[in-house]
Amino acid sequence: MTESILVTGATGFIGSNLVNCLVKKRYQVSSLVRKGKSGHSKSKIITGDLTDKKIDFGNEQYDCVFHLASHTPLEKNKTILHKVNLEGTKNLFDQIKNNTKSILYVSGLGVYGETGERVVDESFSYNPNTEFVKTRIMAQKYLEKNCKEIGVDFSVVHFGDVYGSGGWFYEFLIKRLLKHTFRLPKKGDYYKGFVHVDDAVGSMISIMEKNKMNDTYNVVDSMPTKFRDFVNYTADAIGVKHPGNVPVFLAKTVLGGDLIKLLTTSMKVSNEKISKIYNFKFHSYKDGIPNVISELRNQNRLQ
Ligand SMILES: NC(=O)c1ccc[n+]([C@@H]2O[C@H](COP(=O)([O-])OP(=O)(O)OC[C@H]3O[C@@H](n4cnc5c(N)ncnc54)[C@H](OP(=O)(O)O)[C@@H]3O)[C@@H](O)[C@H]2O)c1
């Protein structure tokens, strides 16, 4: 059984849920955490930034490194994106390459670019249309090539839009719906693949536990959905009115061109491959959103 795990991005939305789950499953977890931040108390905290030339990992030997740390497409400065998401990944690899058996790299579906009405699976070629994604692919390719050279197992997961009681779903959608300030670019008329955070975490752990490394997986639920329908369903679930629209040029000035392009690119994605090794808890946003909303209600976070 895999014992010792390193999680980068451990303070983030998906990373914190992953650490939580791994700790509950009694793995020995190390969390890479930036100075001034705190990580899960039952994980070993390793203080460091991806760009630090010397991070003190001690003598730990990892069975798997889950690499989630990255700037999001909200970061508009291309130099920073390059420095953290590409150079930071290379820097991390240089420091852990002799201390791990495998690396699982987390990326997004943006790698496939414009795919029209075709249902996307893992055989599709990458066709990135943002600088953000181009940089992420360079980091992925670097890891892939270098892991192969030294015999470290490598896998990549491309997540759809991951929703749960944190991250973009809470910070950008729920909070703005509650304040009536959320608006839909392009009327929300594009298909997206969504995935509940429990399934995002569960699928990564399954890949590792079932020893299905050295492969690529797209991770979304079973129901490609128009963004507008997802948003309106969420609005109904929290009892607020459906949001209006915003012109794309205006949305870009607030959120940046890359993020709006990633958001408004329509894509239908198959989860057939990951479903062979992982049983989804939530097959559709219609099951997953009520679960998240009741969690937020219990925590009094829907004011
Ligand atoms: N959320 C989604 O819908 C989604 C979809 C597709 C792919 N992904 C990918 O999944 C991964 C995790 O996403 P998330 O939603 O959990 O993101 P998040 O909440 O923004 O978390 C990002 C994490 O990366 C850390 N980080 C950023 N810059 C760093 C640096 N220079 N050195 C060390 N750590 C650094 C952050 O640390 P601080 O807490 O110190 O800032 C945080 O722990 C990312 O790679 C993202 O691209 C996410």
Side-chain angles (χ1 to χ4, degrees):
M1 179 179 147
T2 305
E3 295 284 343
S4 182
I5 314 274
L6 171 68
V7 177
T8 76
T11 51
F13 166 50
I14 304 172
S16 58
N17 280 280
L18 174 63
V19 172
N20 224 345
C21 191
L22 289 167
V23 166
K24 276 193 192 144
K25 289 179 122 231
R26 302 189 174 275
Y27 285 100
Q28 287 168 32
V29 185
S30 297
S31 299
L32 181 67
V33 169
R34 290 201 277 185
K35 221 174 170 178
K37 293 278 177 99
S38 54
H40 195 296
S41 59
K42 290 193 175 147
S43 71
K44 178 179 170 188
I45 304 300
I46 294 175
T47 306
D49 189 291
L50 285 180
T51 57
D52 289 345
K53 283 288 165 217
K54 200 152 178 35
I55 301 171
D56 186 3
F57 291 104
N59 296 320
E60 202 77 44
Q61 293 293 319
Y62 302 114
D63 293 284
C64 187
V65 174
F66 288 91
H67 180 30
L68 285 83
S70 82
H71 268 296
T72 70
L74 265 174
E75 174 58 65
K76 295 172 194 162
N77 185 321
K78 305 274 185 288
T79 312
I80 295 178
L81 281 177
H82 203 270
K83 186 174 164 210
V84 173
N85 293 357
L86 178 57
E87 297 307 325
T89 293
K90 291 182 181 176
N91 189 41
L92 173 80
F93 179 77
D94 278 347
Q95 297 184 61
I96 51 136
K97 63 185 177 193
N98 297 320
N99 303 68
T100 189
K101 290 182 188 156
S102 63
I103 298 178
L104 191 146
Y105 179 68
V106 173
S107 172
L109 292 173
V111 292
Y112 297 111
E114 307 273 349
T115 51
E117 282 296 305
R118 292 173 304 157
V119 177
V120 174
D121 63 27
E122 289 80 357
S123 69
F124 275 51
S125 331
Y126 292 164
N127 184 22
N129 56 6
T130 62
E131 278 308 306
F132 172 79
V133 175
K134 282 179 193 160
T135 307
R136 302 292 321 263
I137 293 177
M138 282 190 255
Q140 176 188 329
K141 296 284 175 202
Y142 179 88
L143 289 178
E144 214 163 1
K145 175 174 176 287
N146 286 279
C147 281
K148 201 169 182 185
E149 275 175 20
I150 59 168
V152 168
D153 288 338
F154 176 78
S155 271
V156 57
V157 294
H158 298 303
F159 283 140
D161 293 302
V162 184
Y163 65 93
S165 59
W168 65 270
F169 184 72
Y170 182 65
E171 297 300 330
F172 287 99
L173 183 57
I174 299 270
K175 281 187 175 175
R176 287 177 193 220
L177 282 172
L178 289 168
K179 285 192 277 178
H180 307 289
T181 56
F182 187 83
R183 298 286 178 271
L184 288 162
K186 288 196 182 168
K187 300 182 179 170
D189 195 18
Y190 27 86
Y191 281 94
K192 308 292 297 170
F194 293 98
V195 56
H196 189 290
V197 68
D198 287 359
D199 286 324
V201 164
S203 56
M204 282 189 280
I205 296 177
S206 268
I207 293 167
M208 173 189 75
E209 286 182 339
K210 296 188 177 163
N211 204 8
K212 297 287 182 185
M213 297 294 288
N214 296 315
D215 218 333
T216 299
Y217 300 90
N218 295 334
V219 177
V220 290
D221 68 21
S222 312
M223 201 167 162
T225 301
K226 285 208 171 159
F227 189 56
R228 182 183 52 224
D229 295 337
F230 180 89
V231 167
N232 288 343
Y233 189 85
T234 306
D236 290 342
I238 58 174
V240 299
K241 67 177 190 181
H242 294 180
N245 302 312
V246 60
V248 167
F249 80 90
L250 213 56
K252 279 185 181 170
T253 57
V254 182
L255 296 173
D258 275 9
L259 186 58
I260 294 303
K261 196 173 247 174
L262 285 170
L263 172 66
T264 60
T265 299
S266 192
M267 198 183 290
K268 290 184 184 171
V269 181
S270 158
N271 66 6
E272 199 181 322
K273 186 170 175 183
I274 188 69
S275 295
K276 287 192 178 131
I277 54 171
Y278 173 70
N279 284 328
F280 278 73
K281 268 166 82 175
F282 303 101
H283 289 278
S284 148
Y285 69 101
K286 292 189 178 177
D287 306 323
I289 288 177
N291 166 276
V292 176
I293 301 301
S294 80
E295 191 179 329
L296 290 171
R297 263 211 184 97
N298 292 339
Q299 297 166 350
N300 281 327
R301 289 166 64 205
L302 282 182
Q303 337 283 346

